[in-house]
Amino acid sequence: MTDTLATRWPGVAQTPRTPFKARVAKAVVRPAINTLPVRLTFPDGTAWGAGGAAAPEMQIRRPAAFFSRLGHDTKIGFGEAYMAGDWTEGPDTDLADLLTPFAERLTTIVPPALQKLRALVDRQLPQHERNTKEGSRSNIERHYDLSNDLFQRFLDPSMTYSAAWFESPDESLERAQQRKLDGILDQAGVGDGTRVLEIGSGWGSLAIRAAQRGAQVTTITISSEQAALAREHFEAAGVSDRIDLRLQDYRDVTGEFDAVVSCEMIEAVGEEYWPTYFAKIDEVLAPGGKVSIQAITMAHHRYLTTRNSYGWIQKYIFPGGLIPSPEAIDLSLANHTRGLEVTERRSLGQDYARTLRRWRDDFDRNWADIATFGFDETFRRLWDFYLAYCEAGFAAGYLDVFQLRMERTA
């Protein structure tokens, strides 16, 4: 164990010493794996799983460490075991293809009797990751301020970090992202002279697209790194005079806007603050105005099961994050706005799986360059797992993403 590993990745560097929990984990995993079309292979040559020779292979390199991590914290230990190299995909297996059968059976892979014990193992969201104004800024910085250079190496030229909308499998990612941006702006009725509020600037692609339509755009972010590069993008696109970028929390926005747009930002708001988020949108939306939000979602029963648990994604990728269900969004609108309702839904779930595959391919292709920015091998495995894990979730239908148009109907 190196000092660097222990400092940067304490959860990975130290293998939990929980022999009893490890035995329990092994006893639970084996029958579950034997129902899946995959192969778990071990150093001694044994194999588990219902898959044949051509099935996706999961190589368990350090069985004792793997089961110890699973037993210690199932929701976090599986990903940490991959980061540590306790397991990996087989030489002829794509990681997302391996994870997809797990995602397809995520709600049934654990026996019902054991699912009833979930409350005993679920961890609550840490208090410092709550999405207060201070907490939100810290949570966003931990992901989006990692390095603009990093994101430039795997996103399309517009640096759009959300699901694209593909017309065909071989379409360029840049063109598919442009279609997605236009889909949001079309839903919100953005055109010449429209006063637009964008909640969550990203690196500026949606604001640029809106300004190119002749809109006057106010875009807000709490990421200083994103803001700096977005301003450069506005200058390069020749639209700086039509965009007002503010380092501002959505809770502090004032004014009146004909359209409010927000692309995959609601996942970072947190359930506790959804009422505030939707009430603020309602407050600043002009009479007759429209809203378009692109939101990652999950089925309502899954949201109810996972809403109070802390997992690998929250620990390592999106601290403070929570994915809503469509029903949870509808309920927040009904209870905290003056008649805003969803009037159009467009699903891009399978498009997101394709988007994530493109990002991962480019991330891996450019890894030698990315590593020069100070990212280590554990970080590479973390991001490979993150991108593949999410791809599997969308490919299996466990997750979806919608472009949602909202209007006042009363």
Side-chain angles (χ1 to χ4, degrees):
M1 179 180 69
T2 66
D3 290 340
T4 299
L5 185 63
T7 301
R8 291 186 179 181
W9 312 104
V12 176
Q14 187 68 44
T15 302
R17 296 184 178 180
T18 53
F20 173 74
K21 290 182 178 180
R23 289 194 297 272
V24 172
K26 188 173 184 178
V28 171
V29 167
R30 183 166 190 170
I33 289 296
N34 285 338
T35 68
L36 298 180
V38 299
R39 290 180 297 139
L40 249 70
T41 58
F42 294 85
D44 64 3
T46 59
W48 299 352
E57 180 188 5
M58 179 177 172
Q59 291 185 344
I60 309 299
R61 291 178 170 175
R62 294 189 283 269
F66 173 72
F67 289 115
S68 289
R69 292 186 197 275
L70 280 186
H72 178 70
D73 192 329
T74 304
K75 295 189 68 177
I76 293 176
F78 186 68
E80 287 187 338
Y82 184 82
M83 292 165 64
D86 298 336
W87 71 271
T88 194
E89 67 273 29
D92 298 318
T93 294
D94 177 81
L95 182 57
D97 293 342
L98 170 62
L99 294 174
T100 298
F102 291 88
E104 289 172 339
R105 299 160 178 82
L106 206 55
T107 57
T108 59
I109 193 170
V110 176
L114 293 178
Q115 289 187 29
K116 295 178 181 178
L117 302 177
R118 183 183 185 119
L120 299 178
V121 298
D122 272 349
R123 294 169 54 188
Q124 299 295 308
L125 181 74
Q127 282 296 306
H128 70 273
E129 292 185 8
R130 289 178 57 238
N131 286 295
T132 62
K133 290 182 182 180
E134 296 76 16
S136 291
R137 188 173 296 109
S138 174
N139 290 339
I140 291 298
E141 287 173 352
R142 283 172 57 188
H143 186 82
Y144 294 95
D145 286 1
L146 278 170
S147 163
N148 284 335
D149 291 324
L150 162 68
F151 289 100
Q152 285 175 320
R153 294 311 185 274
F154 72 90
L155 299 178
D156 74 290
S158 73
M159 290 191 71
T160 304
Y161 189 34
S162 48
W165 179 5
F166 289 90
E167 191 171 64
S168 63
D170 58 351
E171 184 174 37
S172 74
L173 181 56
E174 184 176 16
R175 180 68 193 96
Q177 290 290 15
Q178 290 173 349
R179 181 178 298 104
K180 179 274 297 296
L181 298 175
D182 285 337
I184 293 172
L185 298 176
D186 288 346
Q187 278 192 334
V190 174
D192 190 23
T194 305
R195 298 169 298 171
V196 177
L197 171 65
E198 180 190 18
I199 301 176
S201 307
W203 287 277
S205 60
L206 184 56
I208 290 171
R209 202 74 174 166
Q212 288 170 339
R213 292 184 175 206
Q216 287 297 135
V217 183
T218 299
T219 182
I220 63 169
T221 181
I222 54 176
S223 168
S224 57
E225 290 291 317
Q226 285 189 317
L229 189 55
R231 288 192 174 98
E232 293 181 18
H233 290 168
F234 300 157
E235 288 284 349
V239 293
S240 292
D241 60 322
R242 293 195 291 278
I243 301 176
D244 177 17
L245 187 152
R246 303 175 185 173
L247 276 169
Q248 185 178 47
D249 190 280
Y250 69 91
R251 284 162 280 209
D252 296 327
V253 174
T254 59
E256 184 177 77
F257 302 90
D258 307 305
V260 179
V261 296
S262 189
C263 188
E264 294 183 26
M265 187 272 185
I266 188 175
E267 304 84 356
V269 170
E271 181 183 44
E272 180 181 3
Y273 294 98
W274 289 341
T276 306
Y277 174 77
F278 285 114
K280 175 57 69 173
I281 290 174
D282 185 45
E283 174 191 321
V284 301
L285 187 67
K290 297 178 182 178
V291 180
S292 179
I293 292 176
Q294 185 161 306
I296 299 172
T297 67
M298 62 170 60
H300 193 59
H301 69 278
R302 294 169 185 158
Y303 150 72
L304 292 174
T305 301
T306 60
R307 61 199 285 238
N308 293 317
S309 62
Y310 183 65
W312 183 88
I313 283 284
Q314 285 128 328
K315 181 175 180 178
Y316 287 102
I317 304 296
F318 295 117
L322 178 65
I323 295 173
S325 66
E327 291 88 343
I329 292 174
D330 290 341
L331 189 61
S332 288
L333 290 172
N335 291 338
H336 302 287
T337 71
R338 297 163 295 172
L340 276 178
E341 293 184 12
V342 175
T343 57
E344 181 179 270
R345 303 176 191 268
R346 177 185 296 128
S347 172
L348 300 178
Q350 292 307 306
D351 296 83
Y352 217 157
R354 184 173 292 128
T355 303
L356 286 153
R357 178 66 65 106
R358 299 281 187 92
W359 288 345
R360 185 160 53 95
D361 286 346
D362 286 340
F363 178 88
D364 289 336
R365 185 181 305 113
N366 294 313
W367 171 248
D369 193 14
I370 292 170
T372 65
F373 305 135
F375 298 106
D376 61 13
E377 181 64 15
T378 303
F379 180 88
R380 183 189 70 79
R381 292 185 67 82
L382 181 154
W383 271 66
D384 271 335
F385 186 80
Y386 151 54
L387 294 170
Y389 177 85
C390 292
E391 179 188 337
F394 287 104
Y398 184 87
L399 299 174
D400 206 336
V401 62
F402 287 95
Q403 291 186 341
L404 303 171
R405 181 175 64 204
M406 302 170 185
E407 303 171 86
R408 293 193 184 99
T409 57

